Amino acid sequence: MFYLIGLGLGDVKDITVKGLEIIKKCNRVYLESYTSILTVQQETLEEFYGCPLIVADRELVESCADEILPKEDEDVAFLVVGDPFGATTHTDLVLRAKEKDIQVKVIHNSSILTAVGCCGLQLYSYGETVSIPYWTDTWQPDSFYERIISNRQRDLHTLCLLDIKVKEPTLESILKKKKDYMPPKFMSVNEAANQLIEVLNNKIQDSQITELTDQCLAVGLARVGCEDQRIVVCSLQDMTSVDLGPPLHCLVVPAKRMHPLEIEFLKQYALDEKRFKEMTQ
């Protein structure tokens, strides 16, 4: 049996009872380490689960997936932060297993896609989720902007998932075919806001009309589901100066029109309550 087990968003105890029972009986247990992270170290997880964990980085999952799948008379667990189907890579693992006639069982858990409701914006009023990637000197995609605009035109909120870089090879190591990795880094809400504003400025320079401005409302969230969870509501411009501390962060661009209950709930997280009132009238 091949098990995909969601770990939830917070700490070691967020796993379900069912998931923990399965881990304890598996021959091999993998911890997926590149689509998200928990706030605890691998050693803490191993102590709580009572078994060693094999770290599954992007290279292993995407290039050597068959090594992960169980052999005959074996049970294998693949642990995913959040919910197992929060990333398409895990869908690919399921399809590979079924091609080999391996039984698959999924143990679901909380995901940022639903936990983002903690900020007070109603889940059924969200549009397409977007990812904001780190830019480089030679690669600065802005397709996330078009999706945010599309959502706003339909009066829908946008959840922006922010880039993380874990065990990413350096350009030099790729050219030399030598494994050398960059330090891990995790995009913050202020970095995401800066990139979004840069796209806005480029659109304005190109004389394009935009429904989004740097004075539009933005919601920054950090470590959702953890004891030290933080939420801040302010303008997109002010978000460029907000420090929400350690990762993981995500950014929400609310719809132009919000339900009165959404506004009332958001108000408790306003960086400047007077300014918030002006922006939501």
Side-chain angles (χ1 to χ4, degrees):
M1 181 75 77
F2 182 54
Y3 295 97
L4 280 91
I5 301 175
L7 300 182
L9 297 171
D11 59 25
V12 66
K13 293 183 180 179
D14 282 355
I15 190 169
T16 62
V17 173
K18 183 186 291 186
L20 183 58
E21 289 175 347
I22 290 170
I23 287 173
K24 290 181 178 295
K25 71 175 186 178
C26 282
N27 303 93
R28 287 182 283 136
V29 181
Y30 290 87
L31 175 63
E32 191 262 80
S33 66
Y34 68 90
T35 60
S36 190
I37 58 165
L38 284 178
T39 57
V40 294
Q41 299 299 313
Q42 178 181 340
E43 294 75 18
T44 304
L45 294 173
E46 290 177 329
E47 182 180 354
F48 188 76
Y49 299 154
C51 67
L53 301 178
I54 305 167
V55 175
D57 57 21
R58 183 185 296 275
E59 183 179 352
L60 177 61
V61 177
E62 295 185 350
S63 303
C64 309
D66 290 344
E67 294 180 15
I68 296 173
L69 298 176
K71 310 298 186 289
E72 191 174 348
D73 299 325
E74 216 184 12
D75 288 331
V76 171
F78 187 81
L79 312 183
V80 181
V81 177
D83 186 84
F85 286 136
T88 53
T89 300
H90 310 136
T91 306
D92 179 66
L93 277 174
V94 171
L95 293 175
R96 286 175 180 268
K98 293 196 172 181
E99 283 177 2
K100 296 178 179 293
D101 293 324
I102 296 170
Q103 294 184 74
V104 177
K105 188 166 186 178
V106 179
I107 312 300
H108 294 284
N109 209 319
S110 59
S111 164
I112 188 60
L113 298 176
T114 52
V116 70
C118 66
C119 73
L121 296 175
Q122 297 165 3
L123 290 179
Y124 56 74
S125 294
Y126 277 81
E128 182 180 359
T129 299
V130 306
S131 296
I132 300 183
Y134 273 115
W135 283 348
T136 67
D137 292 337
T138 57
W139 188 70
Q140 298 184 352
D142 61 5
S143 57
F144 57 86
Y145 166 81
E146 302 298 340
R147 293 185 175 93
I148 293 171
I149 295 301
S150 176
N151 286 340
R152 282 178 66 82
Q153 288 172 341
R154 292 175 289 148
D155 264 332
L156 297 173
H157 314 308
T158 305
L159 168 61
C160 304
L161 302 178
L162 310 187
D163 203 1
I164 71 172
K165 298 290 186 185
V166 178
K167 207 174 180 183
E168 292 282 334
T170 62
L171 179 59
E172 185 179 289
S173 72
I174 293 173
L175 296 174
K176 293 183 177 181
K177 297 183 179 179
K178 168 193 168 186
K179 290 190 176 180
D180 190 18
Y181 301 103
M182 295 183 288
K185 63 177 183 176
F186 308 89
M187 185 180 285
S188 62
V189 291
N190 56 301
E191 289 175 309
N194 270 307
Q195 279 193 191
L196 188 48
I197 287 176
E198 191 168 336
V199 176
L200 284 173
N201 291 336
N202 290 337
K203 299 295 181 184
I204 293 170
Q205 287 176 6
D206 293 339
S207 300
Q208 295 185 36
I209 298 173
T210 174
E211 294 196 12
L212 194 65
T213 73
D214 60 6
Q215 295 305 307
C216 285
L217 206 63
V219 184
L221 301 96
R223 300 172 302 284
V224 173
C226 301
E227 291 294 327
D228 61 345
Q229 169 181 299
R230 287 197 62 194
I231 302 173
V232 168
V233 178
C234 58
S235 71
L236 190 60
Q237 181 62 58
D238 288 342
M239 192 65 73
T240 63
S241 303
V242 168
D243 181 6
L244 291 184
L248 290 171
H249 294 191
C250 64
L251 183 73
V252 176
V253 180
K256 290 179 291 185
R257 288 179 291 185
M258 293 181 287
H259 190 281
L261 285 176
E262 292 180 307
I263 295 173
E264 183 65 26
F265 203 97
L266 282 178
K267 185 171 68 174
Q268 65 185 308
Y269 303 119
L271 197 62
D272 182 328
E273 193 168 321
K274 181 180 177 182
R275 177 76 179 113
F276 174 80
K277 188 175 180 180
E278 293 172 353
M279 296 173 69
T280 53
Q281 282 180 340

